[in-house]
Amino acid sequence: MELSNQLHTDTGWEFYERTFDPQQVVTTGSNFMIGNGYLGYRGTLAEWDAEQHVACVVADTWDTAEPGRLTELCNVPNPLYFQVRVGDETLSAFAGATTDYARAMDLRCGLFSRRSTWQGRAPGAITIEEEKFASYDDIHLLAMRYRVTAQQDTEISVLTGIDGRVWSISGEHFRHTEAHTLGDAADLIAMDVVTVEEGTLIRVAEGLNITGSVPVHASVREVERRVLREMTFRLRAGDTITFEKFASVQHSNGVADSQAGALACVERARDQGFEALLAAHRQCWERMWAVSDIRIEGDLESQLLARFNVFHNIIHTPSHARLPVGARGLSCQVYQGAAFWDQETFNLPMYLYTQPELARHLLEYRYDTLDGARRKAERLGYSGAFYAWTSGKTGDELFPDFFFTDVLTGRPIRNHFNCWQIHISPDITYALWLYYDATGDWDFIERCGAEIAFEIARFIGSRVHLRVDLDRYELIRLLGPDEYHENVDNNAYTLYLSHFAVDRALVLYEQMQQRAPEQLRALRARIGLTDEELSYWRDILHRLYLPQPDADTGLIEQFDGFFGLEDTTPAELRQRLIDPGEYWGWPNGVAVHAQVLKQADLLQLFALLDDFSPAVMRANYEYYEPRTEHGSSLSPSVHALIATKAGLQDEAWRYFMEAATIDLYSRSKKVMSGGSFLGGIHTAACGGIWQVIVRGFAGFEIHDGALHFAPHLPARWQQFSFPLAFRDNHLEVTIDAGGVTVSAAAANQAAVPVVVGQQQLDVTPGSTETLFA
Amino acid sequence: MELSNQLHTDTGWEFYERTFDPQQVVTTGSNFMIGNGYLGYRGTLAEWDAEQHVACVVADTWDTAEPGRLTELCNVPNPLYFQVRVGDETLSAFAGATTDYARAMDLRCGLFSRRSTWQGRAPGAITIEEEKFASYDDIHLLAMRYRVTAQQDTEISVLTGIDGRVWSISGEHFRHTEAHTLGDAADLIAMDVVTVEEGTLIRVAEGLNITGSVPVHASVREVERRVLREMTFRLRAGDTITFEKFASVQHSNGVADSQAGALACVERARDQGFEALLAAHRQCWERMWAVSDIRIEGDLESQLLARFNVFHNIIHTPSHARLPVGARGLSCQVYQGAAFWDQETFNLPMYLYTQPELARHLLEYRYDTLDGARRKAERLGYSGAFYAWTSGKTGDELFPDFFFTDVLTGRPIRNHFNCWQIHISPDITYALWLYYDATGDWDFIERCGAEIAFEIARFIGSRVHLRVDLDRYELIRLLGPDEYHENVDNNAYTLYLSHFAVDRALVLYEQMQQRAPEQLRALRARIGLTDEELSYWRDILHRLYLPQPDADTGLIEQFDGFFGLEDTTPAELRQRLIDPGEYWGWPNGVAVHAQVLKQADLLQLFALLDDFSPAVMRANYEYYEPRTEHGSSLSPSVHALIATKAGLQDEAWRYFMEAATIDLYSRSKKVMSGGSFLGGIHTAACGGIWQVIVRGFAGFEIHDGALHFAPHLPARWQQFSFPLAFRDNHLEVTIDAGGVTVSAAAANQAAVPVVVGQQQLDVTPGSTETLFA
């Protein structure tokens, strides 16, 4: 079927384009990308280079090119570079005539493919077929198959190798670049680069298998930061040459000997060949889809969108190590390949019930960076763990004091994401608790979770202020999820999450007393936790200000004084812009003194905590929604989720479609904002889509160890189903107009209690039960 | 002697100009103005009108022309309007030839005079002599003598009357204007105007005595909002006509029948004539100078400057009613004729020891506006009295949320003077305490002072936050005197003043317990003061955070994090301005993220509280002074005062001269800032000069009822002397190189203890004592 944005899908497992749109080089490069959590390789054509935003972004390669520039992941030299020349012409999508063009992404196994027939000035067209994947079987491996078919007798030359002219947003990250010819047969090429800050050695190695023809001439040369094989082939009409390129990217943060490792990887790959490697990779995806795939009947577009978003949440999440998932994942360097609160609130929940070990990885990453959070707290005059707004390797704050630029004056803007947006810390307790609730993983609590929770409670203890005259603790000078309003007091979202975080710290303390008193004693000693501090937390729990819904209207004020701001609309404010690239928020953007939100704090709160009635959710939805500008890609999926819970199905569908298509339909409004490039895949929206479907449309929640469903089947869908992993039990859930059908895997350990409305059933191993809605 | 800015003085009692500079119409109009605390009449020429910023600003006539415009005092119709015509030409400083020009101000009796000889196209010059004063004998009276002398036979016509075309900064304040011909002889004219907001009826009435000639034709007519007498005179060479104009301005906020009152006043004045009225007025000034004059020997310029500043502090301070002294006094409408903290910290201290009843008036005004302060506190979520940053009739906040305009974008700026600059309240307790200390006026404490102090302590109690983990109260989100840094925490100035205010509230509470237990009981009941609240204040006193001088450097950080801001200079920041009219502060001005101050909080603190050693004052002076831009006219006098106390005499002299000449030498940098007109007399600087001389150069302080002097005679001065009133005793203090000579009036009630260094003497009534420094 035809989708929007010149895209098509036939099965809901793949999408493809048949028209090449040079205006969309940035967004299609993200949408067609491949990746495996270790590296992301943008969905660009093999003939392209930095100018078309080719990039191979590699996890755990953070570098600061020079003081004052942003720390970010490295784009490494491109080992899949491939140029074809006919005479003095270079095959290109931008010159000559291209026909029979298609670019496709097979989500089932993360396989990029592309085909085009090119006619230059010389007679005789050339047909190119390109396929590539980032292996899940060997995360260091990129494999490409590049076929050239001549339609007339012709001589072509091929330039392929490693292109070190990388696109880098925040400076030159390599203090040293060196090319080598290597391997047992001296027919591998490699490029070693060393990062500026940490001296990380990254090797990119490349090997080639050629079938179908033998070059009449071949050499290797270095030119302009490239190491290139140059080969000439004489082809007869109908001849096809197949190039199988195998590349390995390894670095000294991940492996002991990245140089030898990369060579060995490439040599193994050459031995196995593209098809065998793809088969092994495909098996990995089969395992992942078995626990993750959402199947939708009745709307092929929804089916494709669900898979696209789940796919992207997966490929940007490191599964091989305790590393974060970035706000743009591995799709580009934007947002520094670093963890934001998105990780815990948007990306992670899907893993709780699909691949809980990935959720654990993300939380262990937060444990590994606890010292960074402690340093940040101390630097700003607080105690405990104040997690970085932008968190990389160490957990030290990567977000710069001056991020946006005032496009009207050229002056840098001192945004306060890094110091006032404190909800990042309680958000982590929230995710930690979700994980514990979903998995019952007590070992994690003992090793990591309790300490994180205690240090976050401690931070909150140092961040609250007591208004003695009002007999309440307050949180002053905040920046909530609605980032257009910095410097606000008693932001409801932050208060409720902080309350939750202190509460769970105390719950975990009690559980540690029961289950692991020795470990608790040791932990108390190590972090200096005292009984006075625990009493203090209890006092905060009792006296922390929690703004209540208004008795008449049900509204909760987003922060003190919000309802007193100018009551206007996003559309009206847009009229006031002097420059369309202006930042709407701090310090003097159009939304600062208005009741216009970037995203809705209250809806975000409802998305996390179950403390509010549908009526309250609805009242607040109806108040805040028309005032929300959705300047954040996090906003639409939360609107969809809360609209569902509030019984606003049309709204839910509208925002589901909006959230699901942000990237695929290139709908992001803000490739540039406040002077900064903000392109790439919006991974939080991807994780959000899983939540809209499973938590929203299926109404899935866990209460007291039982799985609850409150289904709201979208009108266009006949049914949808998805797997759920819950405490080592595997279930398949299917929702249709009739109700909720739950199948339990035969291998399950225990019966799983399932609740729909007033009905409750225990689904025993191997059985299938249907509960009617 | 010749001064700067084309000015001269001969005796130190007057200044004059002999060159007319059309570029300085705004500033000379302020410098040559007359006034009497009830009205201010700008020092413009009688032939001028609104275009030359002629204005008669009248106290207690606040009006808001329309919603959203600033509330301000009215400029009333100008009753001294006077035009002379020869043929079809109008005598003008801007056309024709003017010779023999002089404009002078006699400070001894507040008499404006002006002379010029004008030659138009017709043969024969006309000489004009103009004198006017705002009577202190009858505050509603303005008197002018206007003489015209013909140098050849000529016919002139005269247009004089009331000019209702007023200059108004914030809109049209009169909803109704009506002209009348009135009086017993039907030869008075009047203009009645009614204000928009309150319907205040203001009558301006005018009468005329003419000697030296009789008009050949006379009529009265209304034209373009003017009521004008039109008269024609035939003059022979050498003839002089003398016009004595008497005008009265009365309004319904001040007198029961402003219409009858104004007529009666004018008729009385016509009966008495200009000379007699001037004599009565001169006697008033003699009495005021007797208690206020600072006499300086050795430097005539200093002498003139001292008198100019003392004179202006006096004429802008209402002596007739409990009304505030405005930041630009009665010199124009700028700053709304309203009280700022300047009133208590800059203007008032001079009165404590010269005319203590005026200091009491100002504090009684604060008592009268206590309800406004209570309303402001309540509106912002606090208790007690949060005084208006800009305080007019009721004490409700007059400062708008959006004051400055961003000249780069045209957007209004949300400055926070009105909500974060909380030190206004403790500043009032400070002044109240100074007054009580200087006068011992217990009656005032009982009637007003205790209640003000309690409500301010109560406000502080609702404004502090307890950091439980640090065991201290903090003040969060402040704007200190250094207004370039809004939104700061733990501003040292505000903390110390708040501590002082809570302390004095408790002291006054104890004194009330001792001296007026019944009144205390009634007051407690009336304002609902409880024992718990008093305990809470004591707790604040013990645990309020007071930043201490660094043990090594002696430095006190202006606010949390100040020393971490960019360390640069005002000169460097000036280079970064995109537009010279840019505001340097909030939200994104050049000083916001830099260690560059508008005025120095720490020096201001030292100027008020005696808690710091000379070494600490010196260390902080040397740190902060190079970083101070002096964007406030309050800044230089405080620098002079603290430089003196810190033993930096050259600096003290430099800043004394700077502060003393802000207006007279037209040195104010900011006639426009952030898009607002900010001209007029800087009354705080005027009050500051008295403090520099008496508190600085004479080192005058009161401790335990004794008068201390620590003199620092400026190098250019041989000696200086000044009167001091102290608890009904009158002293004359003379400082010279030898020491301090104190003469006590024979009528004094008691001996006054005087301390200089280690010496202490009681100066008995009628005696003179010299203490050697």
Side-chain angles (χ1 to χ4, degrees), chain B residues 6-121:
Chain B
Q6 304 175 318
L7 295 170
H8 305 261
T9 187
D10 296 331
T11 68
W13 270 116
E14 86 299 317
F15 61 94
Y16 55 90
E17 64 177 15
R18 284 184 172 147
T19 311
F20 173 65
D21 179 356
Q23 297 306 311
Q24 289 205 50
V25 161
V26 172
T27 50
T28 54
S30 300
N31 290 335
F32 286 91
M33 71 175 285
I34 55 178
N36 59 14
Y38 170 73
L39 57 78
Y41 191 97
R42 289 172 58 78
T44 46
L45 309 196
E47 301 90 39
W48 293 356
D49 60 24
E51 206 176 321
Q52 288 81 35
H53 300 97
V54 170
C56 180
V57 185
V58 181
D60 203 12
T61 58
W62 285 286
D63 183 69
T64 315
E66 51 190 289
R69 303 297 298 269
L70 288 183
T71 305
E72 62 193 4
L73 294 179
C74 293
N75 284 346
V76 300
N78 172 21
L80 302 186
Y81 183 68
F82 209 104
Q83 281 210 340
V84 177
R85 290 189 186 164
V86 180
D88 62 350
E89 278 183 285
T90 302
L91 186 151
S92 166
F94 305 101
T98 295
T99 51
D100 193 27
Y101 168 83
R103 173 159 55 170
M105 186 67 216
D106 182 355
L107 300 168
R108 194 191 287 267
C109 63
L111 181 70
F112 168 98
S113 62
R114 162 269 182 133
R115 189 188 61 216
S116 58
T117 296
W118 182 78
Q119 173 72 65
R121 286 191 304 274

Side-chain angles (χ1 to χ4, degrees), chain A residues 381-383 402 406 408-414 416 420 458 461-470 473-474 476-478 487-489 536 539 576-579 582 586-590 593, chain B residues 381-383 402 406 408-414 416 420 458 461-470 473-474 476-478 487-489 536 539 576-579 582 586-590 593:
Chain A
Y382 305 111
S383 314
F402 295 86
D406 180 351
L408 302 178
T409 63
R411 291 219 176 107
I413 295 177
R414 172 63 171 103
H416 301 89
W420 298 346
R458 175 176 268 172
S462 71
R463 188 57 170 73
V464 295
H465 282 97
L466 182 61
R467 271 286 291 267
V468 173
D469 61 321
L470 301 180
Y473 288 96
E474 298 190 342
I476 304 300
R477 194 181 284 120
L478 303 174
N487 196 34
V488 305
D489 291 348
Y536 177 43
D539 190 43
R576 299 184 196 169
L577 292 176
I578 297 168
D579 180 312
E582 267 185 73
W586 183 274
N588 213 20
V590 292
H593 304 294
Chain B
Y382 305 111
S383 315
F402 294 86
D406 181 351
L408 302 177
T409 63
R411 292 219 175 107
I413 295 176
R414 172 65 170 101
H416 301 88
W420 298 346
R458 175 175 267 172
S462 71
R463 188 57 171 74
V464 294
H465 282 96
L466 182 62
R467 270 286 291 266
V468 174
D469 61 320
L470 300 179
Y473 289 96
E474 298 190 342
I476 305 299
R477 196 181 285 120
L478 304 173
N487 196 34
V488 304
D489 291 348
Y536 176 44
D539 190 42
R576 298 184 196 170
L577 291 176
I578 297 168
D579 181 311
E582 268 184 74
W586 183 274
N588 212 21
V590 292
H593 303 294

Side-chain angles (χ1 to χ4, degrees), chain B residues 97-164:
Chain B
T98 295
T99 51
D100 193 27
Y101 168 83
R103 173 159 55 170
M105 186 67 216
D106 182 355
L107 300 168
R108 194 191 287 267
C109 63
L111 181 70
F112 168 98
S113 62
R114 162 269 182 133
R115 189 188 61 216
S116 58
T117 296
W118 182 78
Q119 173 72 65
R121 286 191 304 274
I126 303 281
T127 295
I128 302 296
E129 291 161 291
E130 175 187 355
E131 292 163 289
K132 57 198 171 200
F133 63 92
S135 174
Y136 263 95
D137 187 51
D138 177 349
I139 56 169
H140 299 110
L141 179 70
L142 280 166
M144 175 168 86
R145 180 158 59 189
Y146 194 90
R147 279 193 238 248
V148 181
T149 303
Q151 292 181 7
Q152 291 195 11
D153 292 2
T154 186
E155 182 173 298
I156 65 167
S157 64
V158 164
L159 282 172
T160 185
I162 303 174
D163 183 1

Side-chain angles (χ1 to χ4, degrees), chain A residues 730 743-750 764-767:
Chain A
H730 291 270
S743 297
N748 281 359
Q749 300 297 306
T764 54
S767 72

Side-chain angles (χ1 to χ4, degrees), chain A residues 4 9 14 109 147 160 190 294 297 325 362 370 376 385 482 625 663 673 684 687-688 694:
Chain A
S4 295
T9 187
E14 84 302 318
C109 62
R147 277 192 241 251
T160 185
I294 295 169
E297 289 183 21
V325 48
L362 296 175
L370 194 45
K376 175 175 171 183
D482 166 20
E625 189 276 335
D663 288 315
S673 179
V694 177

Side-chain angles (χ1 to χ4, degrees), chain B residues 322 361 363-372 393-394 452:
Chain B
R322 293 149 70 134
H361 272 183
L363 294 167
E364 285 169 336
Y365 161 75
R366 293 298 192 180
Y367 184 74
D368 296 339
T369 54
L370 193 46
D371 276 345
K393 182 74 169 177
T394 62
I452 294 173

Side-chain angles (χ1 to χ4, degrees), chain A residues 341 389 417 420-421 423 478-488 491-494 558-559 562 565 583-586 591-605 624 627-632 634-635:
Chain A
W341 72 302
W389 185 246
F417 306 99
W420 298 346
Q421 203 155 8
H423 65 78
L478 303 174
L479 175 50
D482 166 20
E483 292 174 337
Y484 289 162
H485 297 96
E486 307 197 18
N487 196 34
V488 305
N491 170 266
Y493 175 88
T494 310
Q558 179 172 290
F559 53 76
F562 177 80
L565 299 178
Y583 184 60
W584 286 40
W586 183 274
V592 169
H593 304 294
Q595 290 188 53
V596 168
L597 324 177
K598 185 173 178 187
Q599 65 190 100
D601 285 6
L602 267 295
L603 305 195
Q604 185 65 50
L605 172 60
Y624 287 107
R627 293 167 172 82
T628 300
E629 191 258 339
H630 305 293
S632 165
L634 279 56
S635 190

Side-chain angles (χ1 to χ4, degrees), chain B residues 366 368-379 382-388 391 394-397 425 428 455-456 459:
Chain B
R366 293 298 192 180
D368 296 339
T369 54
L370 193 46
D371 276 345
R374 288 185 178 111
R375 284 189 292 270
K376 174 174 171 182
E378 193 183 353
R379 180 170 52 82
Y382 305 111
S383 315
F386 183 1
Y387 275 92
S391 182
T394 62
D396 289 289
E397 183 61 78
S425 277
I428 288 170
E455 289 289 28
I456 287 173
F459 165 64

